[in-house]
Every structure is written in structure tokens, then in C-alpha cells.
Amino acid sequence: MTYQKTYDRASTDPEGFWMEAAGDIDWMVPPTRAFEPNSGVYGRWFEGAVGNTCYNAVDRHVAAGRGDQPAIIYDSPVTDTKRTLTFAELQDEVATLGAVLHDMGVGQGDRVIIYMPMVAEALVAMLACARIGAVHSVVFGGFAAAELATRIDDAGASAVLTASCGVEPGRVINYMSLLSEAIDIADNKIAKCLVLQRDIQPCELTENRDLDWAEEMARARAEGRRADCAEVAATDPAYILYTSGTTGQPKGVVRDTGGHMVALNWSMKNIYGANPGEVFWAASDVGWVVGHSYICYAPLLAGCTTVVFEGKPIGTPDAGTFWRVIAEHDVSVMFTAPTAFRAIRGQDPEGEFVRKYDISCLRALFLAGERSDPTTLEWAEAQLGVPVIDHWWQTETGWAISAIPMGIEPLPVKHGSPGVPMPGYDVQVLDDAGHPVPNGTLGNIVVKLPLPPSCLTTLWNAEERFHSSYLNEFPGYYATSDAGILDEEGYLHIMARTDDIINVAGHRLSTGAMEEVLAGHDAVAECAVVGKADALKGQVPLGFFVLKSGVTQDAEEVAAELVQKVRQDIGAVAAFKLAVAVKRLPKTRSGKVLRATMQKIADDESYKMPAAIDDPAILDEITKVLTDKGLIG
Ligand code: COA
Ligand code: AMP
């Protein structure tokens, strides 16, 4: 069936379409209908059905005779380690860890924080939670203790699974000290932590709180205890994943169980063209949605082998690492962020490393997380000789809103466009008043409700915020907060965020959250953070601050403290390295800070003088400060 026919069928017969997709999942109680419009905020998928995600990702493949097939290939150039876990071995690991979680008092519906680096055990942890019906919330390792504390409190977690350390090129991150600091800050004093001791840097365990992962697993094994797969309602949460909102308080995206299994399983064959038994590699991190969906759940649900890569595209040890992993592990389909390819291209513009490896096994490369600039995309196409597909999605959706569905019909790729809407997504473009705009016109990209399976059902403990963040602005639609164009041929073009989210090296960050940190400094009267274009990372944050009157502290010293403070409060991942003192911030007459104009100045782009500006001279002051600092000009 062609793309258009498939898309139309999902629109005109969503019941038939999604019930058919649900037939590829093993249920304990199968669904009798796909969508119930009267439940939840905008309806619920597969209400009444019961199943288990871990069973579908692991046990059923063992039962079907795939026990000896590799499920997880762990490849860690930063620790010089490789390890393969077959589906049978993975089943033993998750069943045993499930029993350990029970020992720790974790039951169905309880929340568990997973704060782990890119090791195979991170997936084992996620799947063990799914097995016993616990709701995990994975926190990215690059976040600081305060961010971890916020998530521990908001999720109301009863346990934490962690490792002694993470490994970044040139430094080891002591996870345990970050975790202990987070528990100190948090109101929710976690009673039980399970700690994976890593040879590269073990840590001291806190008495009466920390348990040794290996010891607990060994004990459960010796006693022959394994957890069965719990009966989980399709509408129960599978996990909570926090993502940046417009304030410092992150949003807890709630993913359901049934819709998640159905849509992700469907996507593997139809979008990625990946078949059971093949190797699928998403070079991301389990802390991000890409890691949840395409390192852990989707490949395993579909019976593929997944690669857990602990390294960077460059420097671990060189710009050929990706090609080595593809060649060595026979990767069929790869997924990563464009920034990774910009980094590789920067070090190996002629693709000399590419030719050192036989990567003929690779069929397609998918990119997401930020806009794929055509130059990088063309370079990747030329070097790899396979289709390079930009596709667009969000933490909120959990899978692609738009893509080129390689398994359905390999439509022509248009550079600069992340493809066409995926089945189930009624994507429209509206003006600010909520009226549809003609094709080719820039507007707010929205998805007509209901959202397809696997999209967020609400925000954890914040249903009102779910309405105010996504549903109130355009009644009847989900607002993506991305602006863009739908062209004559139905391809989307994503141009910019309409809120204060910026994209730094494929990582989603809130400038509002950074402003809260800057504003908390004693010497700062007011501040603004904007995203400045960056050749490698796409964008980097640039902070402007005004000193309080009477402050005698040197502005450079304050700037250095602000950089340190963002690293301390949000984390290294914010990549906040630029803070500049200005005399005043440009504002409208009603007092609104003109961030968009400041961003244009920072990017050395021409700008239109905002009509409502209070004092145009401030823009010249800002231009001068940035020029003097060598940031523009
Ligand atoms: N734990 C602890 N610290 C981390 C971390 C983690 N898991 N991940 C990143 N950091 C730190 C980095 O060490 C760096 O610290 P530094 O300021 O001391 O150098 C900082 O956070 C910023 O990291 P990053 O933005 O990743 O920059 P980088 O210079 O280390 O690497 C790239 C640049 C392009 C190579 C890297 O960003 C990359 O591979 N990106 C791929 C993006 C991706 O996978 N996105 C997921 C969505 S698909
Ligand atoms: P995240 O929730 O971290 O996945 O970030 C989602 C945001 O990243 C989107 O709202 C977009 O702004 C941006 N994004 C993700 N993929 C793409 C893409 N392919 N093209 C353009 N922007 C993208």
C-alpha cells in the first residue's frame, strides 16, 4: 500500500487501522476497540486491554525461539568494553531485577527514578520496571543534582536505580555524589537506592539506603526468585519523562502502556523499514525520548537487536567510531541527531574514516532532535550512500509526527523538510487566531485531536498545565510550539519554536529555566537568555544580564559565576558558557523584553526595528557589547 493510502486509511478508519496494528502485540486481555473518545483528556487508546511491555519486548521473543538472538549489544569505547546480551539472557536479567525491585518494596504503579549512564543495565532497569508495572522516570546523566531532585519530588519516586559513575571523554562523573546531593535537596527522602558499581570508579554506599546491584541480583538468583510480568492496563502509565517547559519546573510527559507498545512496534517496520532479527542503532542517550523509544522499547518490541553505545561521535577515539560500530555490529538502520554528523564532518570533511570500514550493511540513516541543515544532510548522503531521512518529533509524541516512511513507500527526500505526516497525525498549520493558512505559508503547527497512540495522555500531577501548555491555545488541537510550513506536496518544513525552548546539540533546553538561575544571583537585576546560532551544536545559550545598581563586583567575575551557577543548578548539558553584562535590556513600551531581536543581533542577522520598542539606542549598545567581545562582527 502506498503512503497516501495508508495515511488515508488511518484517517478514515482509525479503528480498523490501529486494531490491526494492535494485533502485532501479545495481550493478556486483547482490546475490543482502539479508541474510546469519552475517557481521559482527549480520549484513550485501547481502554480495557491489559498487557505487559516487558513481555512484548523480551519474553515473547524467547517464547518464539529467538532466545539466542542478541537483544542488546553494549559497545563502550570510553571504557573499552563490549558485551552482548541475548533475549534469553535479557529475560533472566529483567526477571531477576524485577524480584530485586519487589524486595526494595517497589510495587505496581510506584515510580522509580533511573539515573544511569549508557550501559546495558539502564535498559534492564527500564524493562524490569515495565515487567512489574512500576513507572520509571529516567533522568539524563548530564543534569545537575537540583534537576534530579526536582524529578525525584515531582514523580514521588519510591526508589532510585543508579550507577557509581558515568564516563565522559576525559572525566568520570560521580553519579553517587550527585544523587546524594539531590536526595539532600529533595523533600522526598528516597529510602532505597540500587547502585551498579562500575569498575572504572566504584563508589561508597550509604548505609541503610544503598544496595549493591550485583549482590542483590546474586541473592535473588541464588534463591531462584524471578518476577512475573504484571498485568498492566493499556491506559496505565508506562513511564514519565520530564522535558523542558517554559519555566524551571520541567513537564512530566506521561506515556501510556498500550498505545506506546502498538505505535512503537508499528513504527519499526513502517517508518524505519527494520525487520525482526536486524540490528537497529539509535546513537542517543536513554535520558532522552529518542533513547526511550529507539534504544530501548521499539527495537526490542519488534524483535530487533539494539545497540547501547557509550561514547561520542568524535574523540572516542576518533571520527570513525560510528562507522566502526555499524560495520562491527552489522547495523541495518541508524538514528542520531544532526549535531553528531556536524561534529564528524568537522573532523573528517573528506570522509576518510568512512572508507576505512565496510558499512554496506547500512540501509538508512534517520536524523531528528533538531532541524537537519541541508549541508550536513547532503554530506551524510554522499558519504554513506544510503537514504538520509530527517524526521520530526517531540518528547510529547514519543514517535515521529512526520517522516519518510521507508517501510511503506520511500517517498522522495526533500532537503530541509522532515517529510510528510505519519498516519494518525492530522497535521495542520494555523495563524495566531486559529485559522488555517494556505499551503506554503508559515504558521503554528498543530495536530488535530485526538493524538494517535503513544502520544502523551497528560502531564504528571499537572493536568491543568497539560491544558494550558498544549490544548487551550487552539481549541480542538494539540499545539506543537513549532512554527513551520506545509508545502503543496504535503511535506512539512519546521522553522522555529514559538516558545523559549532552544535546541543545543540535539538537547532540548529552556531559556526560561536558565533565566531563573541567572536572576537568582545577588548581583543581577534582570536578565535574558537567547539561543545563538552555533556551527556545531545548532544553538548555544547566550545570557545577557544587568547588574543591580550599587553592585561593585566586577562584571566579568559575575559572568563567570553565572556560568558556574547554570552548570551547578541545571547541569553541564546546558552548555551555558556565554554571559555578557549590558547596561539595559531592550523592551517594548509595555515592558516585554525583546528576546527575538536580541537573538537576531547575536546571530549577526538584520532585524526590523520593533515598532513598540521603548528605546532603540539599547539595540546599538547590545551590538557594541557583542562586537567588543568578539561574538559578532
Ligand atoms: N553525563 C554527564 N555529562 C554530560 C553527559 C552525560 N550523559 N552528556 C553530556 N555531558 C556534558 C559534556 O561532557 C559537556 O561538558 P563540558 O561542558 O564539561 O564539556 C556538556 O555536557 C555539553 O555536552 P554536549 O552538548 O553533548 O557537548 P559535547 O561537546 O560533549 O559533544 C557532540 C558535542 C555534538 C559530540 C555531542 O553533543 C553529541 O554527540 N550529540 C548528539 C546528540 C544526541 O544524541 N542527542 C539526542 C537526541 S537524538
Ligand atoms: P525533544 O522533545 O527533545 O525531542 O525536542 C523536540 C523539539 O525539537 C521539536 O519541537 C522541534 O523544535 C525540534 N525538532 C526535533 N526534530 C526536529 C526536526 N527533524 N526538524 C526540526 N526540528 C526538530
Side-chain angles (χ1 to χ4, degrees):
M1 214 193 290
T2 61
Y3 156 72
Q4 196 58 52
K5 283 204 170 117
T6 311
Y7 182 86
D8 291 347
R9 170 149 189 249
S11 307
T12 54
D13 178 22
E15 274 298 311
F17 184 90
W18 290 113
M19 280 300 277
E20 197 176 301
D24 292 333
I25 293 298
D26 286 7
W27 303 92
M28 292 156 169
V29 178
T32 50
R33 65 183 296 192
F35 189 63
E36 169 49 62
N38 298 315
S39 296
V41 177
Y42 60 84
R44 295 302 306 260
W45 290 97
F46 308 111
E47 195 174 73
V50 177
N52 186 287
T53 308
C54 181
Y55 180 82
N56 278 278
V58 183
D59 301 60
R60 69 162 167 168
H61 304 308
V62 179
R66 289 186 176 276
D68 292 336
Q69 180 196 313
I72 299 175
I73 296 171
Y74 166 62
D75 187 309
S76 169
V78 292
T79 59
D80 200 15
T81 320
K82 288 175 203 163
R83 177 186 172 203
T84 298
L85 273 159
T86 64
F87 274 103
E89 288 164 339
L90 181 59
Q91 185 182 34
D92 177 60
E93 288 281 314
V94 293
T96 308
L97 184 57
V100 171
L101 285 169
H102 280 151
D103 294 346
M104 292 167 70
V106 178
Q108 190 156 356
D110 291 346
R111 275 79 58 209
V112 175
I113 296 281
I114 299 177
Y115 186 55
M116 296 189 72
M118 282 294 290
V119 290
E121 288 84 352
L123 273 61
V124 174
M126 294 164 80
L127 293 162
C129 287
R131 188 173 194 87
I132 65 164
V135 179
H136 64 65
S137 186
V138 184
V139 180
F140 177 63
F143 281 123
E147 291 284 332
L148 178 55
T150 306
R151 287 153 173 81
I152 288 174
D153 277 340
D154 194 78
S158 54
V160 174
L161 303 186
T162 191
S164 55
C165 66
V167 186
E168 281 292 287
R171 75 196 158 101
V172 175
I173 318 280
N174 184 337
Y175 274 40
M176 185 40 87
S177 68
L178 284 163
L179 174 61
S180 291
E181 197 186 329
I183 295 176
D184 279 348
I185 301 170
D187 293 329
N188 171 9
K189 302 296 175 200
I190 297 285
K192 287 275 172 271
C193 301
L194 187 67
V195 185
L196 178 76
Q197 292 283 20
R198 303 191 71 189
D199 292 344
I200 191 157
Q201 187 178 294
C203 63
E204 265 193 39
L205 301 183
T206 302
E207 236 182 271
N208 297 326
R209 187 194 74 185
D210 296 344
L211 301 165
D212 182 287
W213 186 297
E215 282 176 15
E216 296 303 313
M217 292 286 277
R219 189 183 1 255
R221 268 200 186 101
E223 293 167 5
R225 286 183 299 108
R226 295 158 64 89
D228 289 334
C229 294
E231 294 185 6
V232 183
T235 47
D236 277 351
Y239 68 76
I240 305 165
L241 177 57
Y242 287 89
T243 190
S244 300
T246 48
T247 66
Q249 179 70 22
K251 298 191 282 202
V253 165
V254 178
R255 189 90 54 223
D256 69 0
T257 296
H260 180 232
M261 286 194 280
V262 172
L264 290 197
N265 186 58
W266 181 91
S267 73
M268 286 301 289
K269 181 166 178 292
N270 292 288
I271 299 182
Y272 299 97
N275 303 307
E278 292 186 328
V279 182
F280 187 93
W281 177 28
S284 176
D285 188 287
V286 284
W288 307 116
V289 68
V290 173
H292 279 64
S293 295
Y294 291 103
I295 296 175
C296 185
Y297 289 112
L300 296 177
L301 283 166
C304 291
T305 302
T306 186
V307 180
V308 174
F309 173 71
E310 190 182 28
K312 301 267 174 177
I314 51 171
T316 61
D318 54 39
T321 306
F322 274 16
W323 325 132
R324 175 193 61 79
V325 171
I326 293 170
E328 200 172 316
H329 304 305
D330 202 23
V331 173
S332 297
V333 181
M334 184 186 182
F335 181 164
T336 192
T339 188
F341 269 74
R342 286 198 296 272
I344 295 170
R345 178 169 158 250
Q347 295 217 339
D348 183 23
E350 303 307 323
E352 283 163 22
F353 277 109
V354 188
R355 278 171 285 286
K356 286 191 185 164
Y357 299 92
D358 176 4
I359 56 166
S360 55
C361 51
L362 190 71
R363 279 202 308 272
L365 168 69
F366 285 77
L367 299 174
E370 55 176 324
R371 182 170 182 270
S372 283
D373 56 292
T375 317
T376 304
L377 207 130
E378 279 158 25
W379 183 84
E381 279 175 345
Q383 297 302 331
L384 306 184
V386 299
V388 179
I389 315 289
D390 181 11
H391 62 329
W392 168 59
W393 49 304
Q394 307 186 315
T395 302
E396 289 83 348
T397 65
W399 63 293
I401 310 167
S402 73
I404 299 291
M406 292 303 281
I408 300 174
E409 184 185 357
L411 297 168
V413 166
K414 275 195 197 184
H415 291 174
S417 160
V420 294
M422 288 299 89
Y425 289 100
D426 183 354
V427 180
Q428 302 187 16
V429 184
L430 306 180
D431 66 16
D432 289 347
H435 304 121
V437 300
N439 285 346
T441 307
L442 183 68
N444 301 288
I445 308 184
V446 297
V447 182
K448 193 166 186 310
L449 295 174
L451 292 167
S454 187
C455 292
L456 82 172
T457 53
T458 187
L459 293 176
W460 184 254
N461 277 341
E463 189 133 308
E464 189 38 49
R465 195 175 179 197
F466 178 48
H467 286 272
S468 62
S469 303
Y470 303 103
L471 307 178
N472 290 352
E473 192 179 358
F474 302 107
Y477 299 89
Y478 163 84
T480 65
S481 293
D482 278 312
I485 290 167
L486 204 49
D487 72 17
E488 295 292 341
E489 287 159 311
Y491 282 65
L492 270 160
H493 301 258
I494 309 296
M495 310 311 280
R497 289 284 301 197
T498 55
D499 55 11
D500 64 356
I501 298 292
I502 57 171
N503 222 301
V504 180
H507 308 318
R508 171 168 161 180
L509 297 164
S510 159
T511 55
M514 292 185 222
E515 287 180 4
E516 283 178 22
V517 175
L518 265 52
H521 189 290
D522 285 343
V524 172
E526 53 180 351
C527 62
V529 176
V530 301
K532 176 174 165 46
D534 181 82
L536 172 65
K537 298 194 177 189
Q539 285 183 301
V540 289
L542 164 62
F544 296 91
F545 63 96
V546 179
L547 288 175
K548 281 181 184 159
S549 65
V551 166
T552 51
Q553 195 182 0
D554 178 54
E556 288 302 319
E557 203 180 291
V558 175
E561 286 176 10
L562 293 176
V563 167
Q564 200 42 45
K565 196 162 151 48
V566 174
R567 196 177 173 91
Q568 172 66 31
D569 290 2
I570 297 180
V573 66
F576 184 84
K577 309 226 159 135
L578 303 171
V580 293
V582 289
K583 275 195 290 191
R584 306 175 290 173
L585 293 177
K587 292 183 187 163
T588 61
R589 280 186 284 278
S590 59
K592 218 169 153 247
V593 177
L594 291 162
R595 291 184 180 77
T597 313
M598 295 168 83
Q599 174 166 355
K600 286 230 178 313
I601 296 174
D603 287 347
D604 230 347
E605 282 178 12
S606 60
Y607 59 88
K608 258 206 345 237
M609 184 61 69
I613 191 165
D614 187 29
D615 183 354
I618 303 178
L619 299 182
D620 295 332
E621 290 169 17
I622 287 187
T623 308
K624 180 161 183 336
V625 170
L626 293 180
T627 311
D628 291 349
K629 292 226 165 275
L631 292 170
I632 56 172

